[in-house]
Amino acid sequence: MDASAVAFERATIESDGETLAARWYAGGDEDAALPVVVLSHPHTKFGGSSGMMDGLARELVVRGRLRVLCVDTRGAGRSSGAATWTGWDEVKDVRAACRYAGAGGRNVVLLGTSGAAPFAGTASLSEEHVVATVQMGYTCGYLCSVLWRGHFGPYFSSPKPKLFLHGSKDEHTSVPQLKSWIRRAPDAAELEVFEGVGHYELESPSYDGDVAARIVRFIADRGLRA
């Protein structure tokens, strides 16, 4: 199947008084033995929405036979409410999305992106059915720490498997900065550095296939199951 032919179905999720818009992506031949993948978009305050995850969602369906859920956190896309700078309300939204995706006892792999990646990390800690996380362009540099440092420590110390996808030319967090946090639980974390790639370049559609392939391999290598 070509990625452009992957169908999606709209859904709504309730979160702390807000109604979140979401989309299920599926190809009709999903492997039910694999976890559901939940995609959390870049920070809404910087223009992020689930529409930015559309290409990656389709590639995951085609390359991994995965079922994928994309959700707009509060204030993004068709979701109600207003975005926050510190992300603690967005944590509630991502948790609600993971519980929705894991209804019936199915496990979840959660992906966070860019400035909102720390929120996804925090959300994963209290959700037992979130068995692993993937972080694309995780922001933990010096300036990012002003707003989001409270999300860093508990997440990086967690023993849950983590895959970090990062550009060597990331404008917000250098590879050494990211590695300094990864050292808190090195056995739980994998780091894939895309050489010569910047922060926003990695998020662009041109890397959807590469990112999807690496996520599919991570799920297989870690033996993550539904």
Side-chain angles (χ1 to χ4, degrees):
M1 176 187 292
D2 183 82
S4 63
V6 173
F8 68 82
E9 180 181 336
R10 296 192 185 276
T12 56
I13 301 168
E14 298 303 315
S15 171
D16 191 38
E18 304 297 348
T19 299
L20 310 180
R23 285 177 288 180
W24 279 113
Y25 290 77
D29 64 343
E30 298 80 45
D31 186 343
L34 296 176
V36 175
V37 179
V38 174
L39 302 184
S40 179
H41 60 77
H43 202 312
T44 306
K45 288 288 192 180
F46 300 116
S49 72
S50 67
M52 300 172 69
M53 315 304 293
D54 178 78
L56 177 57
R58 295 173 187 272
E59 290 288 349
L60 286 168
V61 169
V62 171
R63 294 171 181 263
R65 295 174 60 203
L66 293 160
R67 186 166 170 80
V68 180
L69 178 71
C70 292
V71 61
D72 279 306
T73 55
R74 62 189 64 200
R78 300 185 180 190
S79 294
S80 66
T84 70
W85 281 110
T86 57
W88 294 106
D89 284 343
E90 283 79 356
V91 168
K92 299 175 185 176
D93 297 345
V94 177
R95 285 174 177 162
C98 290
R99 288 193 294 270
Y100 177 81
R106 195 162 180 181
N107 286 332
V108 169
V109 172
L110 172 61
L111 177 138
T113 315
S114 190
F119 315 157
T122 297
S124 72
L125 299 177
S126 62
E127 300 300 317
E128 293 184 1
H129 54 288
V130 176
V131 294
T133 55
V134 178
Q135 302 283 18
M136 184 166 63
Y138 191 96
T139 48
C140 56
Y142 298 124
L143 293 178
C144 305
S145 297
V146 174
L147 285 173
W148 304 319
R149 189 179 183 88
H151 294 282
F152 300 162
Y155 172 64
F156 279 97
S157 300
S158 166
K160 288 187 179 183
K162 307 171 186 66
L163 171 63
F164 293 90
L165 305 175
H166 212 73
S168 67
K169 293 186 176 180
D170 190 287
E171 296 88 345
H172 301 293
T173 303
S174 70
V175 172
Q177 285 173 325
L178 181 56
K179 285 182 175 179
S180 72
W181 283 100
I182 288 175
R183 292 190 191 103
R184 294 193 172 210
D187 293 339
E190 300 176 34
L191 172 61
E192 179 90 6
V193 177
F194 290 74
E195 292 297 334
V197 177
H199 183 91
Y200 302 102
E201 188 179 3
L202 185 59
E203 295 175 8
S204 70
S206 60
Y207 281 91
D208 285 342
D210 294 324
V211 168
R214 186 62 181 89
I215 294 170
V216 169
R217 190 165 87 245
F218 171 68
I219 291 172
D221 289 348
R222 291 280 181 160
L224 302 175
R225 311 301 288 172

